Amino acid sequence: MRRPLVAGNWKMNCDKQESAALIAALKNEQLKDGVEVMVAPTFVNLAAAVDQTASSKISVAAQNMNQHASGAYTGEISGAMLKSVGVDTVILGHSERRAYFGEDEALLAEKVKAALAVGLQVIFCFGEVIEDRRAGKHFDVVAAQLKGALYDLEESAYEQIVLAYEPVWAIGTGETATPEQAQEMHAYIRSNMAARYNDNLAQNVTILYGGSVKPNNAAEIFGQPDVDGGLIGGASLKADSFTAIVNAFPV
Ligand code: PEP
């Protein structure tokens, strides 16, 4: 079912004390009813974040996980480990993982399946780079990303999947897609999903927009009919700007 959701991707920011302080500040804010609020601290702070948010409306996501269930993968974290500390959601396919850690559709397909298998919800990120958009290939690129990582899945898998369209040229650049560009792509994503699955699924999947969402542009983006919320990077690192974005939601 489509649901209003705003998730903060903290990336490699916030040490133990900063993470605790940011969550404490968010718990003091009036976060709009009817909007699901999620934060994604770094791995070492997840367990504490789960405890700290236990009696609040804030939930906790991880930023990544390994595709294997367990074993000799030094330095890696499995989905079951995330579940064991109370994490329910994992972000997969973020453009920084794709660009700096070589994650491609084949690997992401494995990661998505591994996450679903242990009962994690997945926020699956995808989006085109600026060269693709300038060449008019952005719809094809997005279609290939969806097909490559997700379209082997059964329809029922989407009960655990949230999509996050994040045009790479808008991430951390201050350059936001216009509300019209976001709406156009989100509508395309639904039509692409309807072609692979069916209309009902396409209309019910939650699709977030991510890319330089700030307090001053959130309301217009969230007001688009096919945009269900946002994945927020930079502006999620301050309680006041993240709250203003959550509260910009027209619910
Ligand atoms: C992100 O990293 O997912 C993101 C959208 O970052 P920013 O909001 O800083 O563009």
Side-chain angles (χ1 to χ4, degrees):
M1 224 24 201
R2 283 171 74 167
R3 55 191 218 271
L5 166 63
V6 179
N9 173 16
W10 293 0
K11 311 192 186 193
M12 200 172 72
N13 295 295
C14 296
D15 65 14
K16 180 180 176 181
Q17 288 74 24
E18 290 162 342
S19 180
L22 182 47
I23 291 173
L26 281 173
K27 284 173 70 178
N28 271 335
E29 298 280 358
Q30 277 305 109
L31 296 165
K32 201 170 204 171
D33 283 340
V35 182
E36 202 178 317
V37 179
M38 201 177 274
V39 294
T42 190
F43 282 129
V44 293
N45 294 318
L46 285 172
V50 168
D51 289 346
Q52 206 186 344
T53 54
S55 56
S56 77
K57 68 170 268 151
I58 303 165
S59 61
V60 176
Q63 300 172 19
N64 180 35
M65 60 172 265
N66 189 271
Q67 67 276 22
H68 297 289
S70 64
Y73 301 103
T74 301
E76 291 296 288
I77 309 275
S78 73
M81 290 169 186
L82 298 177
K83 287 289 283 187
S84 75
V85 297
V87 170
D88 290 325
T89 301
V90 62
I91 298 170
L92 293 176
H94 191 278
S95 64
E96 289 151 16
R97 302 283 328 162
R98 293 171 185 263
Y100 307 142
F101 303 97
E103 297 197 0
D104 61 9
E105 262 46 73
L107 175 63
L108 291 169
E110 284 185 59
K111 288 195 176 198
V112 170
K113 283 186 191 129
L116 299 180
V118 296
L120 284 164
Q121 170 178 249
V122 172
I123 298 181
F124 181 74
C125 306
F126 54 96
E128 80 283 1
V129 296
I130 191 63
E131 291 77 14
D132 296 328
R133 183 160 278 266
R134 288 201 186 115
K137 290 199 246 165
H138 42 298
F139 296 118
D140 292 346
V141 166
V142 161
Q145 290 171 323
L146 292 172
K147 182 167 188 280
L150 300 183
Y151 282 3
D152 271 353
L153 297 171
E154 301 291 321
E155 184 178 344
S156 58
Y158 289 87
E159 283 159 28
Q160 283 168 257
I161 295 177
V162 168
L163 302 179
Y165 169 59
E166 298 206 300
V168 181
W169 47 271
I171 296 181
T173 59
E175 187 176 344
T176 324
T178 64
E180 294 74 26
Q181 284 172 320
Q183 169 55 29
E184 182 185 40
M185 182 57 89
H186 283 223
Y188 171 75
I189 292 162
R190 290 193 200 283
S191 71
N192 192 275
M193 294 215 63
R196 163 62 183 92
Y197 295 97
N198 56 61
D199 243 347
N200 186 47
L201 178 64
Q203 289 311 319
N204 279 303
V205 69
T206 297
I207 311 180
L208 311 180
Y209 169 80
S212 297
V213 176
K214 308 286 178 209
N216 65 358
N217 59 23
E220 227 191 327
I221 291 170
F222 295 164
Q224 300 304 309
D226 286 304
V227 176
D228 300 314
L231 183 55
I232 318 300
S236 70
L237 294 172
K238 293 252 166 17
D240 56 354
S241 55
F242 190 57
T243 301
I245 290 171
V246 170
N247 292 348
F249 216 100
V251 288

